[in-house]
Amino acid sequence: MISRTLLSWAAAALSLASIAEGQSFRRLGTCPTLGCVLPPDQTDFLAGQYFDIRLEVHAPVNGSEARGRPTPDTAFTFTIAKKGRRPQSAAALFKIAEPQLERWNFTWYEDYFALDAKTPSLVNVASKIYRRVALYEPGDYTATLTYNNGSTTTASWLVRDLVQVKKTKNIVLFIGDGYICL
Ligand SMILES: *[C@@H]1O[C@H](CO)[C@@H](O)[C@H](O)[C@H]1NC(C)=O
Ligand SMILES: *[C@@H]1O[C@H](CO)[C@@H](O)[C@H](O)[C@H]1NC(C)=O
Ligand SMILES: *[C@@H]1O[C@H](CO)[C@@H](O)[C@H](O)[C@H]1NC(C)=O
């Protein structure tokens, strides 16, 4: 399930992680590093299908991931490259204005010990959301978020032709806030 609010991402991550791992939770389900690209790696789209891209750069203030720099990098950059072509800034590719930077904080429990002790870890976030964008040419794309002086998070996206899709099963299609499986 995909949802717009970080809270439901975090809640889903928390419940999935607690089932899968038993002892420790996750800061954000699909984002093991401090730079998050959503939709994540290995997502399939249909050509022309509208979707939202959400970028988040996390700065853990305390807890095991804290690096002594509680201000998230707000100068992060984001490019998208179709295979064989040069990366382009997402705003240029989609021909839209650069989205406004958003800031918020959230807390999460790293494990049952922290939960029992009621010591949530605080994370400060810088984010941008590209709403209702679409990729029209089928093919392989690489989306790259660059943050914290050269750290990168990449996501490989596959944009499928509708004709191809009709012959294939188990494609995940995003519609608004939800997933529909064909
Ligand atoms: C986030 O937390 C920091 C302290 O780490 C605080 O200075 C800031 O005002 C908070 N921001 C928001 C949007 O709550
Ligand atoms: C992190 O800081 C918050 C706010 O000061 C505090 O409530 C929380 O217990 C701290 N968490 C850890 C893991 O130290
Ligand atoms: C990037 O590097 C500069 C110079 O070394 C440093 O002052 C700055 O804090 C770094 N920023 C981040 C987000 O790591």
Side-chain angles (χ1 to χ4, degrees), residues 69 71-73 147-149:
R69 197 179 49 227
T71 308
D73 180 15
Y147 63 101
N148 289 359
N149 285 337

Side-chain angles (χ1 to χ4, degrees), residues 10 14 17 23-27 106-122:
L14 202 77
Q23 293 306 315
S24 61
F25 303 127
R26 283 186 224 162
R27 178 168 30 80
F106 71 92
T107 58
W108 64 294
Y109 290 104
E110 295 190 19
D111 50 30
Y112 284 109
F113 184 79
L115 188 58
D116 287 344
K118 295 197 173 54
T119 51
S121 297
L122 174 63

Side-chain angles (χ1 to χ4, degrees), residues 56-121:
E56 294 183 13
V57 174
H58 292 182
V61 176
N62 60 13
S64 66
E65 295 181 305
R67 300 281 181 276
R69 197 179 49 227
T71 308
D73 180 15
T74 54
F76 58 84
T77 58
F78 183 60
T79 61
I80 298 178
K82 185 162 194 274
K83 194 172 184 178
R85 299 210 195 131
R86 289 158 58 120
Q88 264 189 291
S89 97
L93 178 71
F94 296 124
K95 299 186 173 61
I96 55 172
E98 193 63 39
Q100 291 280 324
L101 191 73
E102 297 182 33
R103 292 285 301 271
W104 68 82
N105 300 335
F106 71 92
T107 58
W108 64 294
Y109 290 104
E110 295 190 19
D111 50 30
Y112 284 109
F113 184 79
L115 188 58
D116 287 344
K118 295 197 173 54
T119 51
S121 297

